[in-house]
Amino acid sequence: QVQLVESGGGSVQAGGSLRLSCATSGYTYSSHCMGWFRQAPGKEREGVAAIDSDGSTSYADSVKGRFTISKDNAKNTLYLQMNSLKPEDTAIYYCAASSYPLCVFGGTWSDRNEYNYWGQGTQVTVSS
C-alpha cells in the first residue's frame, strides 16, 4: 500500500522560510516522478515543483528562485524548501507521485491527472 505523508507546514511571516517533507512507503519513489502541488481556498490545485527519477527539476514560474525541490533516496523522502515566502503562497501543499520516471506529460510536468498517489496535505500560511 502506497502512502505519502507530508509534514513541515505552519504559519510564518512574509519573507520567512519553511521546509516541507514527504515520507513515502510502499513505493519506490526514487524511480518515479514526484511533485509538490498546492491549493489555495477557492482555487484549483496547481503544480509547484517536480523532480524526475534522474533528479531533473521543474518549477512553476511563481516559485522559481525561491523554492527548491529535492529528495533523499536513502530516506525515501521528498522535500520542498520554501524561502522568501509571500502571502500568496498560502495554501494546502500536497505531495504527489507518478507511475512514470520522467515528469513529462504531453509537454507539461504539472498535469495532476498523471500523478497516481497523493498525500493528505499540509497547511502553509504566510502572513503579511
Side-chain angles (χ1 to χ4, degrees), residues 14-85:
S17 298
L18 285 173
R19 189 175 82 154
L20 305 183
S21 299
C22 174
T24 66
S25 61
Y27 184 76
T28 311
Y29 93 108
S30 61
S31 300
H32 296 87
C33 163
M34 300 285 294
W36 286 98
F37 288 74
R38 67 186 182 186
Q39 188 166 17
K43 294 189 177 181
E44 289 192 357
R45 192 171 298 188
E46 63 176 1
V48 175
I51 186 166
D52 290 340
S53 58
D54 63 1
S56 299
T57 57
S58 301
Y59 295 93
D61 288 343
S62 60
V63 307
K64 279 181 182 176
R66 301 188 297 123
F67 291 10
T68 303
I69 188 171
S70 63
K71 59 182 181 176
D72 185 329
N73 291 338
K75 296 182 178 179
N76 280 349
T77 302
L78 181 72
Y79 300 101
L80 184 67
Q81 178 66 44
M82 304 186 295
N83 298 328
S84 302
L85 282 162

Side-chain angles (χ1 to χ4, degrees), residues 86-99:
K86 304 176 180 179
E88 51 264 43
D89 294 318
T90 295
I92 299 174
Y93 283 71
Y94 298 91
C95 169
S98 171
S99 298

